[in-house]
Amino acid sequence: MPYETIAFALFALVTIASSLGVVLVRDVWHSALLLGAALLSVAIHYVMLQAEFLAAMQILVYVGGVLVLITFAVMLTSERGVAQ
């Protein structure tokens, strides 16, 4: 029982810290990576609640889909490498 509480507290801190990082970090790429960490830690919370289907959907839909779209948007709107 105490191991579950320690694991919950650890992943709760990871979720809160990465969510704050998404808002506070100025670099869009790092913000997207922190969003991925936040979404993965929420999926771990679902696993701890024994909701494996929700965890799988969290990873497939949000981490797999939304984060890839954000990554493409960041890469396509980046000003580095643009010939002037």
Side-chain angles (χ1 to χ4, degrees):
M1 188 68 167
Y3 293 118
E4 294 173 359
T5 306
I6 292 170
F8 176 79
L10 176 70
F11 286 112
L13 286 174
V14 169
T15 304
I16 291 170
S18 57
S19 298
L20 283 173
V22 169
V23 176
L24 298 176
V25 171
R26 294 187 57 88
D27 187 24
V28 180
W29 178 248
H30 288 116
S31 180
L33 290 177
L34 286 169
L35 178 64
L39 293 174
L40 282 174
S41 64
V42 169
I44 292 171
H45 283 291
Y46 285 141
V47 170
M48 291 174 67
L49 290 171
Q50 297 177 349
E52 289 84 9
F53 180 75
L54 284 177
M57 291 301 105
Q58 175 82 15
I59 293 172
L60 288 175
V61 172
Y62 288 110
V63 178
V66 173
L67 202 60
V68 167
L69 288 174
I70 290 173
T71 304
F72 283 146
V74 168
M75 289 189 321
L76 290 173
T77 58
S78 176
E79 294 183 15
R80 281 184 265 158
V82 177
Q84 294 182 1

